[in-house]
Amino acid sequence: MIDKVVASAEEAVADIPDGASLAVGGFGLCGIPVALIDALHQRGTRNLETVSNNCGVDDWGLGILLKDGRIRRTVSSYVGENKEFARQYLSGELEVVLTPQGTLAEKLRAGGAGIPAFFTSAGVGTQVSEGGLPQKYDADGSIAIASKPKEVRNFNGADYVLEESLTPDFGLVHAWKGDRHGNLMFHATAMNFNPLCAMAGKITIAEVEELVEPGELDPEHIHTPGIFVQRVVLAPAVEKRIEKKTVSAAASASANSDQAGA
């Protein structure tokens, strides 16, 4: 078996060219490949198309690429929590393909499974299927690019819309554990879109918190087999942020009291 470990995140993303398409794991800030995104940012790669549930926040995750104008187009299902995203979209700097969340997940899964398209009921009777959804604006606020109508077919008395699958050039994912052959395990909710992005990417790069030797992972607990992964890089101390930290009133009062006493 091939040893897929590379020495650094910088080496792992070194051949991602300008204009590449990327499937990026994570949900909000949970399970995002921070080390790989940062390495790509430091490298200066631009004109990117991202496929991800969301686009980070203003100063973290994909948001750091967006802030520097490195992303030209994004396929996402949720675009809140990012004021710069809204500004770029409404000013005509960013093309946005809004996609129902379940449809986005299946587009990635189907792409990884070699299925070119599928029918779903999500979006039937809306601009998702009928077209006209603004994807990019002109600077004057008019619509420069609108979504096109999609095929709708009736099965057993119900309408379904045809959606094409996604196979981006690269997949960037974050895993809890991985071995040298690329087998991956994800931790709890940090699994989210990561296995799907790993499947869909033509070349998938996984940053892992813990690197183990082949055979150490229980085969029954492997979430993504190594056949989907081409590179593995150890990232043991990546920062994990919370979008909106919420604590109980009692905990907040206790913290304030401790600070006052200090």
Side-chain angles (χ1 to χ4, degrees), residues 1-13 15 33 35-36 170-186 198 203-214 217 222 224-236:
M1 296 289 289
I2 300 173
D3 186 340
K4 301 176 181 179
V5 176
V6 295
S8 66
E10 291 74 18
E11 180 181 339
V13 303
D15 64 343
L36 296 175
F170 292 84
L172 306 182
V173 302
H174 177 93
W176 175 37
K177 294 182 180 181
D179 66 21
R180 293 182 176 276
H181 294 167
N183 298 301
L184 305 177
M185 291 176 60
F186 305 96
I203 296 174
T204 290
I205 308 168
E207 62 175 58
V208 300
E209 296 180 35
E210 183 178 344
L211 180 64
V212 302
E213 294 302 319
L217 298 180
I222 290 173
T224 296
I227 192 172
F228 290 112
V229 179
Q230 282 68 49
R231 299 171 197 164
V232 177
V233 61
L234 180 62

Side-chain angles (χ1 to χ4, degrees), residues 55 58 66 74 79 82-89 94 96:
C55 210
D58 289 292
L66 184 73
T74 184
V79 295
N82 194 320
K83 293 180 181 178
E84 177 62 14
F85 186 104
R87 187 199 68 76
Q88 289 190 23
Y89 175 46
L94 178 68
V96 179

